[in-house]
């Protein structure tokens, strides 16, 4: 318990923690509203067959996930940057325990941030759709509630990925490079791979599969929760790899 309290004090005392958290919320909502406003004239003329008023609320997550991953990574990378990691490992020689405490704090901050970002994005988007006379999603629909929960879970998983890559790289910039590649570059390029390889990579890549979980109109060949499970397994593997690296590498 004392270790958790110590990690919480470290996290909350860093100005960057709150700057990144607020930026994640603002970016997620702003990017989505800008996208909606640009497409509204087309939608009012001819509504797409696959129009998904729930799923379109969360397009800003493509940007928000990068900031959530940064939020997770700085839990450990700031200590490597300042040399404080030596002190942390001296006080807590059981490295798995130290990683678990950082994971717990990351989950706490990321969950609060993700809930606010998703809720604000959903409410703002539905209000914009309603003002334009377009169909809206409703919380009375269980699928809408499921999509909202999956969107929150996806963002939290990206924060945990950030922590894992932060442990492995010891660098905020290194983590950012990996996250951008994993979450944005590879999904954009994967469909261009030849034959079935492109289909498999474009469909089952962890972040792509995870993003399909917060759509109501089917965007993938498998159930939404299966897509989130693929992302969760990838995050678990990354966390286990981070644990191995932390245990076997010198500070």
């Amino acid at each position: 318990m004392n270790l958790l309290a110590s990690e919480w004090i470290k996290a909350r005392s860093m100005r960057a923690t709150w700057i990144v958290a607020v930026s994640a919320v603002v970016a997620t909502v702003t990017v989505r509203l800008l996208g909606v406003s640009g497409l509204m004239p087309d939608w009012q003329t001819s509504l797409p067959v696959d129009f998904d008023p729930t799923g379109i609320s969360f397009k800003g997550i493509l940007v928000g996930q990068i900031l959530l991953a940064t939020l997770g990574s700085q839990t450990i990378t700031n200590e490597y940057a300042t040399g404080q990691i030596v002190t942390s490992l001296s006080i807590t020689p059981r490295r798995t325990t130290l990683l678990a405490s950082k994971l717990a704090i990351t989950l706490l901050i990321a969950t609060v941030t993700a809930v606010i970002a998703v809720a604000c994005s959903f409410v703002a988007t539905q209000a914009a759709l309603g003002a334009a006379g377009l169909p809206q999603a409703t919380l009375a629909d269980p699928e809408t509630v499921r999509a909202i929960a999956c969107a929150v879970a996806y963002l939290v998983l990206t924060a945990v990925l950030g922590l894992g890559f932060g442990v492995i790289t010891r660098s905020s910039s290194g983590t950012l490079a990996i996250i951008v590649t994993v979450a944005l570059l590879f999904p954009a390029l994967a469909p261009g791979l030849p034959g079935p390889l492109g289909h498999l990579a474009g469909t089952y890549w962890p972040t792509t599969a995870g993003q399909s979980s917060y759509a109501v109109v089917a965007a993938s060949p498998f159930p939404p929760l299966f897509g989130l499970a693929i992302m969760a397994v990838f995050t678990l593997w990354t966390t286990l790899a981070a644990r191995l690296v932390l245990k076997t590498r010198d500070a």
Side-chain angles (χ1 to χ4, degrees), residues 59-76:
K59 295 298 183 181
I61 285 177
L62 290 175
V63 175
Q65 66 183 336
I66 305 300
L67 292 167
L68 261 294
T70 301
L71 187 66
S73 72
Q74 69 181 13
T75 306
I76 186 76

mmCIF file with all atom_site columns, all heavy atoms in Angstrom, residues 59-76:
data_model
loop_
_atom_site.group_PDB
_atom_site.id
_atom_site.type_symbol
_atom_site.label_atom_id
_atom_site.label_alt_id
_atom_site.label_comp_id
_atom_site.label_asym_id
_atom_site.label_entity_id
_atom_site.label_seq_id
_atom_site.pdbx_PDB_ins_code
_atom_site.Cartn_x
_atom_site.Cartn_y
_atom_site.Cartn_z
_atom_site.occupancy
_atom_site.B_iso_or_equiv
_atom_site.pdbx_formal_charge
_atom_site.auth_seq_id
_atom_site.auth_comp_id
_atom_site.auth_asym_id
_atom_site.auth_atom_id
_atom_site.pdbx_PDB_model_num
ATOM 1   N N   . LYS A 1 59 ? -14.021 8.390  -33.552 1.00 0.00 ? 59 LYS A N   1
ATOM 2   C CA  . LYS A 1 59 ? -12.934 8.476  -34.519 1.00 0.00 ? 59 LYS A CA  1
ATOM 3   C C   . LYS A 1 59 ? -11.748 9.263  -33.961 1.00 0.00 ? 59 LYS A C   1
ATOM 4   O O   . LYS A 1 59 ? -10.605 9.054  -34.371 1.00 0.00 ? 59 LYS A O   1
ATOM 5   C CB  . LYS A 1 59 ? -13.422 9.110  -35.813 1.00 0.00 ? 59 LYS A CB  1
ATOM 6   C CG  . LYS A 1 59 ? -14.472 8.299  -36.563 1.00 0.00 ? 59 LYS A CG  1
ATOM 7   C CD  . LYS A 1 59 ? -13.940 6.961  -37.000 1.00 0.00 ? 59 LYS A CD  1
ATOM 8   C CE  . LYS A 1 59 ? -14.967 6.194  -37.821 1.00 0.00 ? 59 LYS A CE  1
ATOM 9   N NZ  . LYS A 1 59 ? -14.479 4.869  -38.241 1.00 0.00 ? 59 LYS A NZ  1
ATOM 10  N N   . GLY A 1 60 ? -12.013 10.162 -33.028 1.00 0.00 ? 60 GLY A N   1
ATOM 11  C CA  . GLY A 1 60 ? -10.932 10.933 -32.410 1.00 0.00 ? 60 GLY A CA  1
ATOM 12  C C   . GLY A 1 60 ? -10.003 10.085 -31.576 1.00 0.00 ? 60 GLY A C   1
ATOM 13  O O   . GLY A 1 60 ? -8.906  10.531 -31.195 1.00 0.00 ? 60 GLY A O   1
ATOM 14  N N   . ILE A 1 61 ? -10.402 8.851  -31.287 1.00 0.00 ? 61 ILE A N   1
ATOM 15  C CA  . ILE A 1 61 ? -9.552  7.943  -30.510 1.00 0.00 ? 61 ILE A CA  1
ATOM 16  C C   . ILE A 1 61 ? -8.255  7.654  -31.253 1.00 0.00 ? 61 ILE A C   1
ATOM 17  O O   . ILE A 1 61 ? -7.236  7.343  -30.631 1.00 0.00 ? 61 ILE A O   1
ATOM 18  C CB  . ILE A 1 61 ? -10.325 6.647  -30.188 1.00 0.00 ? 61 ILE A CB  1
ATOM 19  C CG1 . ILE A 1 61 ? -11.349 6.939  -29.091 1.00 0.00 ? 61 ILE A CG1 1
ATOM 20  C CG2 . ILE A 1 61 ? -9.397  5.516  -29.764 1.00 0.00 ? 61 ILE A CG2 1
ATOM 21  C CD1 . ILE A 1 61 ? -12.218 5.755  -28.727 1.00 0.00 ? 61 ILE A CD1 1
ATOM 22  N N   . LEU A 1 62 ? -8.270  7.771  -32.585 1.00 0.00 ? 62 LEU A N   1
ATOM 23  C CA  . LEU A 1 62 ? -7.049  7.545  -33.353 1.00 0.00 ? 62 LEU A CA  1
ATOM 24  C C   . LEU A 1 62 ? -5.932  8.479  -32.897 1.00 0.00 ? 62 LEU A C   1
ATOM 25  O O   . LEU A 1 62 ? -4.749  8.114  -32.934 1.00 0.00 ? 62 LEU A O   1
ATOM 26  C CB  . LEU A 1 62 ? -7.322  7.747  -34.849 1.00 0.00 ? 62 LEU A CB  1
ATOM 27  C CG  . LEU A 1 62 ? -8.197  6.693  -35.522 1.00 0.00 ? 62 LEU A CG  1
ATOM 28  C CD1 . LEU A 1 62 ? -8.480  7.077  -36.965 1.00 0.00 ? 62 LEU A CD1 1
ATOM 29  C CD2 . LEU A 1 62 ? -7.547  5.324  -35.447 1.00 0.00 ? 62 LEU A CD2 1
ATOM 30  N N   . VAL A 1 63 ? -6.289  9.674  -32.469 1.00 0.00 ? 63 VAL A N   1
ATOM 31  C CA  . VAL A 1 63 ? -5.304  10.613 -31.927 1.00 0.00 ? 63 VAL A CA  1
ATOM 32  C C   . VAL A 1 63 ? -5.177  10.438 -30.408 1.00 0.00 ? 63 VAL A C   1
ATOM 33  O O   . VAL A 1 63 ? -4.072  10.416 -29.869 1.00 0.00 ? 63 VAL A O   1
ATOM 34  C CB  . VAL A 1 63 ? -5.701  12.068 -32.249 1.00 0.00 ? 63 VAL A CB  1
ATOM 35  C CG1 . VAL A 1 63 ? -4.731  13.048 -31.586 1.00 0.00 ? 63 VAL A CG1 1
ATOM 36  C CG2 . VAL A 1 63 ? -5.721  12.282 -33.752 1.00 0.00 ? 63 VAL A CG2 1
ATOM 37  N N   . GLY A 1 64 ? -6.301  10.278 -29.739 1.00 0.00 ? 64 GLY A N   1
ATOM 38  C CA  . GLY A 1 64 ? -6.289  10.142 -28.288 1.00 0.00 ? 64 GLY A CA  1
ATOM 39  C C   . GLY A 1 64 ? -5.451  8.975  -27.800 1.00 0.00 ? 64 GLY A C   1
ATOM 40  O O   . GLY A 1 64 ? -4.815  9.047  -26.736 1.00 0.00 ? 64 GLY A O   1
ATOM 41  N N   . GLN A 1 65 ? -5.409  7.886  -28.575 1.00 0.00 ? 65 GLN A N   1
ATOM 42  C CA  . GLN A 1 65 ? -4.658  6.707  -28.153 1.00 0.00 ? 65 GLN A CA  1
ATOM 43  C C   . GLN A 1 65 ? -3.160  6.995  -28.039 1.00 0.00 ? 65 GLN A C   1
ATOM 44  O O   . GLN A 1 65 ? -2.471  6.434  -27.171 1.00 0.00 ? 65 GLN A O   1
ATOM 45  C CB  . GLN A 1 65 ? -4.889  5.567  -29.132 1.00 0.00 ? 65 GLN A CB  1
ATOM 46  C CG  . GLN A 1 65 ? -4.345  5.811  -30.521 1.00 0.00 ? 65 GLN A CG  1
ATOM 47  C CD  . GLN A 1 65 ? -4.645  4.692  -31.493 1.00 0.00 ? 65 GLN A CD  1
ATOM 48  O OE1 . GLN A 1 65 ? -4.865  3.560  -31.092 1.00 0.00 ? 65 GLN A OE1 1
ATOM 49  N NE2 . GLN A 1 65 ? -4.646  4.995  -32.786 1.00 0.00 ? 65 GLN A NE2 1
ATOM 50  N N   . ILE A 1 66 ? -2.649  7.868  -28.894 1.00 0.00 ? 66 ILE A N   1
ATOM 51  C CA  . ILE A 1 66 ? -1.231  8.220  -28.834 1.00 0.00 ? 66 ILE A CA  1
ATOM 52  C C   . ILE A 1 66 ? -0.919  8.936  -27.521 1.00 0.00 ? 66 ILE A C   1
ATOM 53  O O   . ILE A 1 66 ? 0.096   8.674  -26.866 1.00 0.00 ? 66 ILE A O   1
ATOM 54  C CB  . ILE A 1 66 ? -0.830  9.107  -30.031 1.00 0.00 ? 66 ILE A CB  1
ATOM 55  C CG1 . ILE A 1 66 ? -1.198  8.427  -31.359 1.00 0.00 ? 66 ILE A CG1 1
ATOM 56  C CG2 . ILE A 1 66 ? 0.650   9.440  -29.984 1.00 0.00 ? 66 ILE A CG2 1
ATOM 57  C CD1 . ILE A 1 66 ? -0.522  7.097  -31.574 1.00 0.00 ? 66 ILE A CD1 1
ATOM 58  N N   . LEU A 1 67 ? -1.814  9.828  -27.133 1.00 0.00 ? 67 LEU A N   1
ATOM 59  C CA  . LEU A 1 67 ? -1.611  10.572 -25.892 1.00 0.00 ? 67 LEU A CA  1
ATOM 60  C C   . LEU A 1 67 ? -1.795  9.680  -24.668 1.00 0.00 ? 67 LEU A C   1
ATOM 61  O O   . LEU A 1 67 ? -1.080  9.822  -23.671 1.00 0.00 ? 67 LEU A O   1
ATOM 62  C CB  . LEU A 1 67 ? -2.564  11.764 -25.846 1.00 0.00 ? 67 LEU A CB  1
ATOM 63  C CG  . LEU A 1 67 ? -2.261  12.844 -26.887 1.00 0.00 ? 67 LEU A CG  1
ATOM 64  C CD1 . LEU A 1 67 ? -3.417  13.830 -27.005 1.00 0.00 ? 67 LEU A CD1 1
ATOM 65  C CD2 . LEU A 1 67 ? -0.987  13.580 -26.525 1.00 0.00 ? 67 LEU A CD2 1
ATOM 66  N N   . LEU A 1 68 ? -2.742  8.746  -24.734 1.00 0.00 ? 68 LEU A N   1
ATOM 67  C CA  . LEU A 1 68 ? -2.915  7.806  -23.611 1.00 0.00 ? 68 LEU A CA  1
ATOM 68  C C   . LEU A 1 68 ? -1.685  6.919  -23.470 1.00 0.00 ? 68 LEU A C   1
ATOM 69  O O   . LEU A 1 68 ? -1.249  6.613  -22.351 1.00 0.00 ? 68 LEU A O   1
ATOM 70  C CB  . LEU A 1 68 ? -4.163  6.958  -23.816 1.00 0.00 ? 68 LEU A CB  1
ATOM 71  C CG  . LEU A 1 68 ? -5.449  7.372  -23.089 1.00 0.00 ? 68 LEU A CG  1
ATOM 72  C CD1 . LEU A 1 68 ? -5.301  7.233  -21.583 1.00 0.00 ? 68 LEU A CD1 1
ATOM 73  C CD2 . LEU A 1 68 ? -5.856  8.787  -23.444 1.00 0.00 ? 68 LEU A CD2 1
ATOM 74  N N   . ALA A 1 69 ? -1.120  6.488  -24.592 1.00 0.00 ? 69 ALA A N   1
ATOM 75  C CA  . ALA A 1 69 ? 0.098   5.683  -24.534 1.00 0.00 ? 69 ALA A CA  1
ATOM 76  C C   . ALA A 1 69 ? 1.250   6.490  -23.944 1.00 0.00 ? 69 ALA A C   1
ATOM 77  O O   . ALA A 1 69 ? 2.060   5.967  -23.155 1.00 0.00 ? 69 ALA A O   1
ATOM 78  C CB  . ALA A 1 69 ? 0.465   5.179  -25.928 1.00 0.00 ? 69 ALA A CB  1
ATOM 79  N N   . THR A 1 70 ? 1.328   7.766  -24.296 1.00 0.00 ? 70 THR A N   1
ATOM 80  C CA  . THR A 1 70 ? 2.349   8.651  -23.724 1.00 0.00 ? 70 THR A CA  1
ATOM 81  C C   . THR A 1 70 ? 2.149   8.795  -22.222 1.00 0.00 ? 70 THR A C   1
ATOM 82  O O   . THR A 1 70 ? 3.115   8.797  -21.449 1.00 0.00 ? 70 THR A O   1
ATOM 83  C CB  . THR A 1 70 ? 2.289   10.036 -24.400 1.00 0.00 ? 70 THR A CB  1
ATOM 84  O OG1 . THR A 1 70 ? 2.495   9.885  -25.805 1.00 0.00 ? 70 THR A OG1 1
ATOM 85  C CG2 . THR A 1 70 ? 3.333   10.967 -23.826 1.00 0.00 ? 70 THR A CG2 1
ATOM 86  N N   . LEU A 1 71 ? 0.896   8.892  -21.816 1.00 0.00 ? 71 LEU A N   1
ATOM 87  C CA  . LEU A 1 71 ? 0.568   8.986  -20.394 1.00 0.00 ? 71 LEU A CA  1
ATOM 88  C C   . LEU A 1 71 ? 1.076   7.757  -19.643 1.00 0.00 ? 71 LEU A C   1
ATOM 89  O O   . LEU A 1 71 ? 1.634   7.873  -18.547 1.00 0.00 ? 71 LEU A O   1
ATOM 90  C CB  . LEU A 1 71 ? -0.948  9.109  -20.228 1.00 0.00 ? 71 LEU A CB  1
ATOM 91  C CG  . LEU A 1 71 ? -1.499  9.383  -18.829 1.00 0.00 ? 71 LEU A CG  1
ATOM 92  C CD1 . LEU A 1 71 ? -1.074  10.753 -18.348 1.00 0.00 ? 71 LEU A CD1 1
ATOM 93  C CD2 . LEU A 1 71 ? -3.024  9.276  -18.826 1.00 0.00 ? 71 LEU A CD2 1
ATOM 94  N N   . GLY A 1 72 ? 0.899   6.582  -20.252 1.00 0.00 ? 72 GLY A N   1
ATOM 95  C CA  . GLY A 1 72 ? 1.373   5.365  -19.609 1.00 0.00 ? 72 GLY A CA  1
ATOM 96  C C   . GLY A 1 72 ? 2.882   5.271  -19.589 1.00 0.00 ? 72 GLY A C   1
ATOM 97  O O   . GLY A 1 72 ? 3.476   4.866  -18.577 1.00 0.00 ? 72 GLY A O   1
ATOM 98  N N   . SER A 1 73 ? 3.525   5.654  -20.668 1.00 0.00 ? 73 SER A N   1
ATOM 99  C CA  . SER A 1 73 ? 4.979   5.496  -20.758 1.00 0.00 ? 73 SER A CA  1
ATOM 100 C C   . SER A 1 73 ? 5.726   6.386  -19.781 1.00 0.00 ? 73 SER A C   1
ATOM 101 O O   . SER A 1 73 ? 6.743   5.993  -19.215 1.00 0.00 ? 73 SER A O   1
ATOM 102 C CB  . SER A 1 73 ? 5.452   5.786  -22.182 1.00 0.00 ? 73 SER A CB  1
ATOM 103 O OG  . SER A 1 73 ? 5.371   7.160  -22.489 1.00 0.00 ? 73 SER A OG  1
ATOM 104 N N   . GLN A 1 74 ? 5.226   7.610  -19.573 1.00 0.00 ? 74 GLN A N   1
ATOM 105 C CA  . GLN A 1 74 ? 5.977   8.534  -18.743 1.00 0.00 ? 74 GLN A CA  1
ATOM 106 C C   . GLN A 1 74 ? 5.979   8.128  -17.267 1.00 0.00 ? 74 GLN A C   1
ATOM 107 O O   . GLN A 1 74 ? 6.781   8.644  -16.489 1.00 0.00 ? 74 GLN A O   1
ATOM 108 C CB  . GLN A 1 74 ? 5.425   9.952  -18.901 1.00 0.00 ? 74 GLN A CB  1
ATOM 109 C CG  . GLN A 1 74 ? 4.060   10.176 -18.320 1.00 0.00 ? 74 GLN A CG  1
ATOM 110 C CD  . GLN A 1 74 ? 3.577   11.608 -18.536 1.00 0.00 ? 74 GLN A CD  1
ATOM 111 O OE1 . GLN A 1 74 ? 4.161   12.361 -19.324 1.00 0.00 ? 74 GLN A OE1 1
ATOM 112 N NE2 . GLN A 1 74 ? 2.531   11.988 -17.854 1.00 0.00 ? 74 GLN A NE2 1
ATOM 113 N N   . THR A 1 75 ? 5.135   7.167  -16.906 1.00 0.00 ? 75 THR A N   1
ATOM 114 C CA  . THR A 1 75 ? 5.167   6.637  -15.543 1.00 0.00 ? 75 THR A CA  1
ATOM 115 C C   . THR A 1 75 ? 6.532   6.047  -15.221 1.00 0.00 ? 75 THR A C   1
ATOM 116 O O   . THR A 1 75 ? 6.996   6.110  -14.081 1.00 0.00 ? 75 THR A O   1
ATOM 117 C CB  . THR A 1 75 ? 4.089   5.545  -15.376 1.00 0.00 ? 75 THR A CB  1
ATOM 118 O OG1 . THR A 1 75 ? 2.827   6.078  -15.765 1.00 0.00 ? 75 THR A OG1 1
ATOM 119 C CG2 . THR A 1 75 ? 4.013   5.062  -13.941 1.00 0.00 ? 75 THR A CG2 1
ATOM 120 N N   . ILE A 1 76 ? 7.190   5.484  -16.246 1.00 0.00 ? 76 ILE A N   1
ATOM 121 C CA  . ILE A 1 76 ? 8.497   4.864  -16.037 1.00 0.00 ? 76 ILE A CA  1
ATOM 122 C C   . ILE A 1 76 ? 9.620   5.619  -16.746 1.00 0.00 ? 76 ILE A C   1
ATOM 123 O O   . ILE A 1 76 ? 10.728  5.725  -16.225 1.00 0.00 ? 76 ILE A O   1
ATOM 124 C CB  . ILE A 1 76 ? 8.475   3.385  -16.498 1.00 0.00 ? 76 ILE A CB  1
ATOM 125 C CG1 . ILE A 1 76 ? 9.787   2.676  -16.156 1.00 0.00 ? 76 ILE A CG1 1
ATOM 126 C CG2 . ILE A 1 76 ? 8.193   3.280  -17.993 1.00 0.00 ? 76 ILE A CG2 1
ATOM 127 C CD1 . ILE A 1 76 ? 9.914   2.317  -14.712 1.00 0.00 ? 76 ILE A CD1 1
#
